[in-house]
Amino acid sequence: MSDVVGVSEERRPRVGVILTGHLVLAGALVVLAAAYLGRMASAGVGPAEMVTGQYDPKDMVPFGMSGANPFAWLYLAVSLLYFAGVVLGPALALYTAAVLARERDRLSPRARALLLAATLTTLALTVLRFTPALHDMQRWWLD
């Protein structure tokens, strides 16, 4: 026990893991927005028609929604990541801001810039979720 007390282990934040978390949450939103815009363009309709229920997002899954279908699992993973992003996005941004403040001297300038950009992007995407345009997209996805 006395050996452990005197050891000073330098802990570096895992910048790659933090950035991957930001990218995964942002990626779910981008995939959802691309699906929404792609479905709208392919059907030739506007946002008002998309929320009527006629253009169900589950109809875009190849081979249908089945437990044996890997595309259905991908659909569910994107859905969960998108909805978890409402809570995890701000929490991850707060954690990243704390890492930036606490480890400022130990991080390289490139790592600081990437973490700052990821934090600001995550916060901006979280705010954008509550705009009218993305509200319609979310209503379409929940249909």
Side-chain angles (χ1 to χ4, degrees):
M1 179 97 166
S2 62
D3 295 336
V4 176
V5 175
V7 175
S8 173
E9 181 181 313
E10 181 180 340
R11 290 190 204 169
R12 293 190 66 160
R14 300 196 181 256
V15 175
V17 173
I18 296 170
L19 290 174
T20 301
H22 283 285
L23 282 174
V24 165
L25 293 178
L29 180 70
V30 169
V31 166
L32 188 95
Y36 178 68
L37 293 173
R39 180 74 167 162
M40 195 179 338
S42 69
V45 296
E49 290 90 2
M50 289 293 286
V51 295
T52 61
Q54 185 177 359
Y55 305 99
D56 192 15
K58 291 182 273 317
D59 293 341
M60 294 174 33
V61 178
F63 312 117
M65 291 295 289
S66 164
N69 185 1
F71 293 112
W73 287 99
L74 183 63
Y75 174 87
L76 292 173
V78 168
S79 296
L80 287 175
L81 285 171
Y82 174 74
F83 292 123
V86 173
V87 175
L88 294 179
L92 186 58
L94 184 65
Y95 174 73
T96 307
V99 166
L100 278 170
R102 187 181 60 220
E103 307 291 337
R104 180 181 48 212
D105 298 334
R106 290 198 277 177
L107 293 171
S108 68
R110 181 174 179 257
R112 282 193 308 255
L114 285 172
L115 288 173
L116 182 62
T119 302
L120 294 177
T121 301
T122 299
L123 289 175
L125 289 177
T126 301
V127 169
L128 280 174
R129 288 174 185 262
F130 300 104
T131 61
L134 290 187
H135 177 69
D136 288 342
M137 180 184 74
Q138 186 169 327
R139 281 185 48 209
W140 170 74
W141 192 258
L142 288 173
D143 184 23

